[in-house]
Amino acid sequence: MTDRLVQLEQLTVRFGDRPVVDHVNLTVNRGDILTIIGPNGAGKTTLIKTILGIQRATSGKVLLTPGLVIGYVPQHLSLEATLPLSVKRFMMLSGRSASECEAALQRTGVAHLLEASVHHLSGGETQRLLLARALVRQPDLLVLDEPAQGVDINGQAALYDLIRELRDELHCGVIMISHDLHLVMAATDKVICLNQHICCSGHPADVSHDPAFIETFGNQVAESLAVYHHHHNHKHNLHGDVVNGNEPHGACDHEHH
């Protein structure tokens, strides 16, 4: 398989007369971590649903590398509340073997919840379960819609650490949607600022200076991101604490100058 996984050419999606995604050109390569940001209603979820084939394009092209395997982590897990469903059973619905399912849960740090009800999981546990379900497919491309949704602040850094590790292990591409702009600065290689069309794109530190970004998010946000640095020579445990060796050392430092 080539390094190019997805290519969008002049992709447009209209709902009635309203363009929700407007003439978007985008390439995602193996090894990329690309994060889509933008205001509410900007078309972010519609864009990834079009890549997934859930939403039909009005015009333009979605070119996927032949044989591409996509692992999708949706924004919400919608299950019938009265349906008894354990973590093990939920994973087995993927059609993979029990050992493959358990290995994926182990990798995302929630293998101890194998017999737990999916209805009783915390936000962070649910996201790790959804990530395990995507991981068990051995994807070439991971697509994550707000992966830190419902995760407390201490667990978010650990979750983004895990996503980066999975990118390296699988040598896959990653597309994320995120509203947390400061986490984007630490977690991604490239940012796409979407507001129906692509306003600006590039490395996070460069995008924060772009006039289109400032117009979309305001001077205060842009200035705070422009001086943002994440010194990432450490790892986070499941609680978000910094771990050097085997000892946790509290929350991750983010320096502002």
Side-chain angles (χ1 to χ4, degrees), residues 188-256:
T188 194
D189 302 324
K190 185 177 181 181
V191 173
I192 299 289
C193 183
L194 188 71
N195 198 356
Q196 281 78 56
H197 65 287
I198 293 178
C199 305
C200 52
S201 64
H203 186 273
D206 298 329
V207 166
S208 65
H209 295 288
D210 193 290
F213 179 92
I214 296 167
E215 184 180 345
T216 302
F217 291 101
N219 273 312
Q220 188 173 353
V221 170
E223 286 169 10
S224 73
L225 292 185
V227 296
Y228 185 87
H229 300 283
H230 186 113
H231 297 285
H232 213 271
N233 57 355
H234 53 259
K235 291 190 176 184
H236 302 270
N237 64 20
L238 289 181
H239 305 291
D241 296 326
V242 175
V243 179
N244 293 321
N246 295 316
E247 296 298 321
H249 293 281
C252 173
D253 292 326
H254 298 84
E255 294 191 5
H256 299 259

Side-chain angles (χ1 to χ4, degrees), residues 63-148:
L63 303 174
L64 305 180
T65 297
L68 181 73
V69 177
I70 300 177
Y72 175 43
V73 178
Q75 190 170 349
H76 302 290
L77 175 60
S78 299
L79 295 170
E80 174 56 53
T82 58
L83 178 69
L85 190 64
S86 68
V87 165
K88 181 178 181 179
R89 179 64 184 146
F90 177 77
M91 287 294 294
M92 294 296 289
L93 292 172
S94 67
R96 302 294 170 138
S97 70
S99 60
E100 287 175 306
C101 291
E102 288 184 36
L105 290 166
Q106 186 76 42
R107 184 62 194 89
T108 62
V110 287
H112 62 289
L113 298 171
L114 198 63
E115 302 302 330
S117 166
V118 295
H119 301 295
H120 298 150
L121 301 181
S122 70
E125 290 165 347
T126 299
Q127 289 305 100
R128 286 171 177 274
L129 171 59
L130 291 173
L131 193 53
R133 186 181 65 169
L135 179 62
V136 79
R137 294 173 54 80
Q138 292 290 304
D140 303 297
L141 177 67
L142 267 175
V143 179
L144 308 126
D145 193 348
E146 292 287 355

Side-chain angles (χ1 to χ4, degrees), residues 165-179:
E165 289 170 10
L166 293 175
R167 182 273 309 267
D168 294 341
E169 290 169 18
L170 296 170
H171 191 43
C172 64
V174 178
I175 303 174
M176 289 191 288
I177 291 175
S178 178
H179 280 105

